[in-house]
Amino acid sequence: MDEEYQILYVDNPEESAWGIIGRGVGSYNRQEAGDDKFQRLCFGLHAPDQEIVGGVIGEVYWEWFYLDLLWVKEELRGRGYGHRLLTIAEQEARQCGAKNVYLDTFSFQAPDFYKQHGYQVFGELQDFPPGHQRYFLTKQL
């Protein structure tokens, strides 16, 4: 008699299940669409004492750059660090073969910042979170 498969909650997926599930999806994607030439990008903004006070994280695959996170500590905003982080990440993505970039941001975060850098909205979810919007933006590199 076959044992039944179970679906169980995983407390810390990044320590176990994340890798297994991710590798499974990655393997299938490569079969269907070819090598994605995946590369992670991460640049940190470090204070003089080496504390990380901002940074940008993203991934390049299939000639696209997904800008996952860009953050600058509140008291440092408006000084050009966000611009510099975005510019450096886009340059590195180009060197990795990316021809386009996409991201998502909330209405209370930085949609205008990205629009000032040439990004265009291609999708929007209303009331996500309630009272706000989630925007999806893209641009050619």
Side-chain angles (χ1 to χ4, degrees):
M1 185 169 182
D2 287 340
E3 292 183 36
E4 286 191 34
Y5 288 89
Q6 297 178 346
I7 297 175
L8 304 172
Y9 180 78
V10 178
D11 288 322
N12 296 305
E14 52 282 327
E15 293 177 11
S16 60
W18 196 272
I20 294 167
I21 295 166
R23 281 190 300 276
V25 169
S27 177
Y28 177 77
N29 289 348
R30 277 187 298 284
Q31 288 174 351
E32 296 298 315
D35 183 12
D36 59 14
K37 298 180 182 167
F38 178 82
Q39 276 192 278
R40 289 188 203 280
L41 302 180
C42 181
F43 293 93
L45 174 62
H46 295 261
D49 65 0
Q50 294 308 303
E51 174 191 4
I52 294 176
V53 293
V56 60
I57 296 172
E59 301 172 338
V60 175
Y61 51 94
W62 288 310
E63 299 180 351
W64 279 82
F65 173 41
Y66 170 57
L67 196 158
D68 190 11
L69 301 169
L70 190 152
W71 169 77
V72 175
K73 200 170 184 176
E74 192 166 352
E75 59 265 26
L76 298 175
R77 293 178 190 159
R79 297 187 191 178
Y81 293 116
H83 169 78
R84 288 170 51 197
L85 285 164
L86 181 61
T87 300
I88 288 168
E90 288 176 349
Q91 288 172 350
E92 183 69 17
R94 275 188 209 94
Q95 291 178 0
C96 294
K99 295 182 173 132
N100 300 282
V101 57
Y102 73 102
L103 61 90
D104 64 279
T105 189
F106 293 107
S107 55
F108 57 86
Q109 289 180 328
D112 291 336
F113 169 80
Y114 293 112
K115 289 175 186 176
Q116 290 169 3
H117 286 85
Y119 287 76
Q120 296 182 342
V121 174
F122 70 88
E124 180 179 337
L125 296 174
Q126 294 290 321
D127 242 15
F128 181 22
H132 301 279
Q133 287 72 246
R134 187 170 191 166
Y135 296 106
F136 297 85
L137 298 100
T138 188
K139 81 171 189 179
Q140 274 191 310
L141 293 175

PDB file of all heavy atoms in Angstrom, residues 53-64:
ATOM      1  N   VAL A  53      23.298  50.787   5.217  1.00  0.00           N
ATOM      2  CA  VAL A  53      22.258  51.803   5.365  1.00  0.00           C
ATOM      3  C   VAL A  53      21.422  51.939   4.092  1.00  0.00           C
ATOM      4  O   VAL A  53      20.628  52.870   3.949  1.00  0.00           O
ATOM      5  CB  VAL A  53      22.881  53.165   5.762  1.00  0.00           C
ATOM      6  CG1 VAL A  53      23.477  53.089   7.159  1.00  0.00           C
ATOM      7  CG2 VAL A  53      23.929  53.594   4.744  1.00  0.00           C
ATOM      8  N   GLY A  54      21.596  51.005   3.185  1.00  0.00           N
ATOM      9  CA  GLY A  54      20.829  50.987   1.955  1.00  0.00           C
ATOM     10  C   GLY A  54      21.384  49.932   1.033  1.00  0.00           C
ATOM     11  O   GLY A  54      22.395  49.290   1.329  1.00  0.00           O
ATOM     12  N   GLY A  55      20.696  49.740  -0.076  1.00  0.00           N
ATOM     13  CA  GLY A  55      21.196  48.774  -1.037  1.00  0.00           C
ATOM     14  C   GLY A  55      20.164  48.428  -2.083  1.00  0.00           C
ATOM     15  O   GLY A  55      19.013  48.889  -2.043  1.00  0.00           O
ATOM     16  N   VAL A  56      20.613  47.610  -3.018  1.00  0.00           N
ATOM     17  CA  VAL A  56      19.751  47.154  -4.100  1.00  0.00           C
ATOM     18  C   VAL A  56      20.030  45.674  -4.332  1.00  0.00           C
ATOM     19  O   VAL A  56      21.186  45.238  -4.276  1.00  0.00           O
ATOM     20  CB  VAL A  56      19.958  47.993  -5.387  1.00  0.00           C
ATOM     21  CG1 VAL A  56      21.381  47.918  -5.886  1.00  0.00           C
ATOM     22  CG2 VAL A  56      18.973  47.601  -6.473  1.00  0.00           C
ATOM     23  N   ILE A  57      18.964  44.912  -4.540  1.00  0.00           N
ATOM     24  CA  ILE A  57      19.059  43.476  -4.769  1.00  0.00           C
ATOM     25  C   ILE A  57      18.217  43.133  -5.985  1.00  0.00           C
ATOM     26  O   ILE A  57      17.091  43.630  -6.130  1.00  0.00           O
ATOM     27  CB  ILE A  57      18.532  42.677  -3.551  1.00  0.00           C
ATOM     28  CG1 ILE A  57      19.407  42.938  -2.333  1.00  0.00           C
ATOM     29  CG2 ILE A  57      18.458  41.182  -3.854  1.00  0.00           C
ATOM     30  CD1 ILE A  57      18.851  42.353  -1.043  1.00  0.00           C
ATOM     31  N   GLY A  58      18.756  42.300  -6.852  1.00  0.00           N
ATOM     32  CA  GLY A  58      17.997  41.886  -8.018  1.00  0.00           C
ATOM     33  C   GLY A  58      18.561  40.625  -8.628  1.00  0.00           C
ATOM     34  O   GLY A  58      19.522  40.043  -8.121  1.00  0.00           O
ATOM     35  N   GLU A  59      17.955  40.217  -9.725  1.00  0.00           N
ATOM     36  CA  GLU A  59      18.352  38.995 -10.418  1.00  0.00           C
ATOM     37  C   GLU A  59      18.286  39.225 -11.922  1.00  0.00           C
ATOM     38  O   GLU A  59      17.391  39.918 -12.404  1.00  0.00           O
ATOM     39  CB  GLU A  59      17.389  37.850 -10.069  1.00  0.00           C
ATOM     40  CG  GLU A  59      17.319  37.544  -8.603  1.00  0.00           C
ATOM     41  CD  GLU A  59      16.223  36.541  -8.274  1.00  0.00           C
ATOM     42  OE1 GLU A  59      15.267  36.377  -9.061  1.00  0.00           O
ATOM     43  OE2 GLU A  59      16.335  35.922  -7.207  1.00  0.00           O
ATOM     44  N   VAL A  60      19.234  38.645 -12.623  1.00  0.00           N
ATOM     45  CA  VAL A  60      19.227  38.688 -14.084  1.00  0.00           C
ATOM     46  C   VAL A  60      18.978  37.271 -14.583  1.00  0.00           C
ATOM     47  O   VAL A  60      19.638  36.326 -14.128  1.00  0.00           O
ATOM     48  CB  VAL A  60      20.571  39.215 -14.647  1.00  0.00           C
ATOM     49  CG1 VAL A  60      20.588  39.124 -16.169  1.00  0.00           C
ATOM     50  CG2 VAL A  60      20.818  40.635 -14.185  1.00  0.00           C
ATOM     51  N   TYR A  61      18.020  37.138 -15.476  1.00  0.00           N
ATOM     52  CA  TYR A  61      17.763  35.856 -16.127  1.00  0.00           C
ATOM     53  C   TYR A  61      16.996  36.108 -17.415  1.00  0.00           C
ATOM     54  O   TYR A  61      16.221  37.047 -17.513  1.00  0.00           O
ATOM     55  CB  TYR A  61      17.020  34.878 -15.212  1.00  0.00           C
ATOM     56  CG  TYR A  61      15.771  35.412 -14.553  1.00  0.00           C
ATOM     57  CD1 TYR A  61      14.527  35.212 -15.130  1.00  0.00           C
ATOM     58  CD2 TYR A  61      15.838  36.116 -13.352  1.00  0.00           C
ATOM     59  CE1 TYR A  61      13.383  35.695 -14.533  1.00  0.00           C
ATOM     60  CE2 TYR A  61      14.704  36.605 -12.749  1.00  0.00           C
ATOM     61  CZ  TYR A  61      13.478  36.387 -13.338  1.00  0.00           C
ATOM     62  OH  TYR A  61      12.338  36.887 -12.743  1.00  0.00           O
ATOM     63  N   TRP A  62      17.290  35.254 -18.418  1.00  0.00           N
ATOM     64  CA  TRP A  62      16.680  35.367 -19.748  1.00  0.00           C
ATOM     65  C   TRP A  62      16.719  36.804 -20.279  1.00  0.00           C
ATOM     66  O   TRP A  62      15.735  37.315 -20.814  1.00  0.00           O
ATOM     67  CB  TRP A  62      15.261  34.831 -19.767  1.00  0.00           C
ATOM     68  CG  TRP A  62      15.188  33.341 -19.679  1.00  0.00           C
ATOM     69  CD1 TRP A  62      15.869  32.439 -20.436  1.00  0.00           C
ATOM     70  CD2 TRP A  62      14.385  32.581 -18.779  1.00  0.00           C
ATOM     71  NE1 TRP A  62      15.543  31.164 -20.062  1.00  0.00           N
ATOM     72  CE2 TRP A  62      14.626  31.222 -19.031  1.00  0.00           C
ATOM     73  CE3 TRP A  62      13.481  32.910 -17.777  1.00  0.00           C
ATOM     74  CZ2 TRP A  62      14.009  30.203 -18.331  1.00  0.00           C
ATOM     75  CZ3 TRP A  62      12.875  31.888 -17.092  1.00  0.00           C
ATOM     76  CH2 TRP A  62      13.137  30.557 -17.372  1.00  0.00           C
ATOM     77  N   GLU A  63      17.841  37.466 -20.097  1.00  0.00           N
ATOM     78  CA  GLU A  63      18.092  38.818 -20.594  1.00  0.00           C
ATOM     79  C   GLU A  63      17.195  39.884 -19.967  1.00  0.00           C
ATOM     80  O   GLU A  63      17.028  40.974 -20.518  1.00  0.00           O
ATOM     81  CB  GLU A  63      17.999  38.862 -22.130  1.00  0.00           C
ATOM     82  CG  GLU A  63      19.017  37.966 -22.798  1.00  0.00           C
ATOM     83  CD  GLU A  63      18.941  37.981 -24.309  1.00  0.00           C
ATOM     84  OE1 GLU A  63      17.991  38.565 -24.880  1.00  0.00           O
ATOM     85  OE2 GLU A  63      19.846  37.407 -24.932  1.00  0.00           O
ATOM     86  N   TRP A  64      16.624  39.591 -18.798  1.00  0.00           N
ATOM     87  CA  TRP A  64      15.827  40.549 -18.041  1.00  0.00           C
ATOM     88  C   TRP A  64      16.452  40.731 -16.668  1.00  0.00           C
ATOM     89  O   TRP A  64      16.967  39.788 -16.077  1.00  0.00           O
ATOM     90  CB  TRP A  64      14.397  40.047 -17.866  1.00  0.00           C
ATOM     91  CG  TRP A  64      13.523  40.297 -19.063  1.00  0.00           C
ATOM     92  CD1 TRP A  64      13.451  39.535 -20.198  1.00  0.00           C
ATOM     93  CD2 TRP A  64      12.611  41.369 -19.229  1.00  0.00           C
ATOM     94  NE1 TRP A  64      12.542  40.080 -21.065  1.00  0.00           N
ATOM     95  CE2 TRP A  64      12.010  41.219 -20.496  1.00  0.00           C
ATOM     96  CE3 TRP A  64      12.254  42.461 -18.444  1.00  0.00           C
ATOM     97  CZ2 TRP A  64      11.053  42.092 -20.983  1.00  0.00           C
ATOM     98  CZ3 TRP A  64      11.303  43.333 -18.932  1.00  0.00           C
ATOM     99  CH2 TRP A  64      10.711  43.141 -20.187  1.00  0.00           C
TER     100      TRP A  64
END
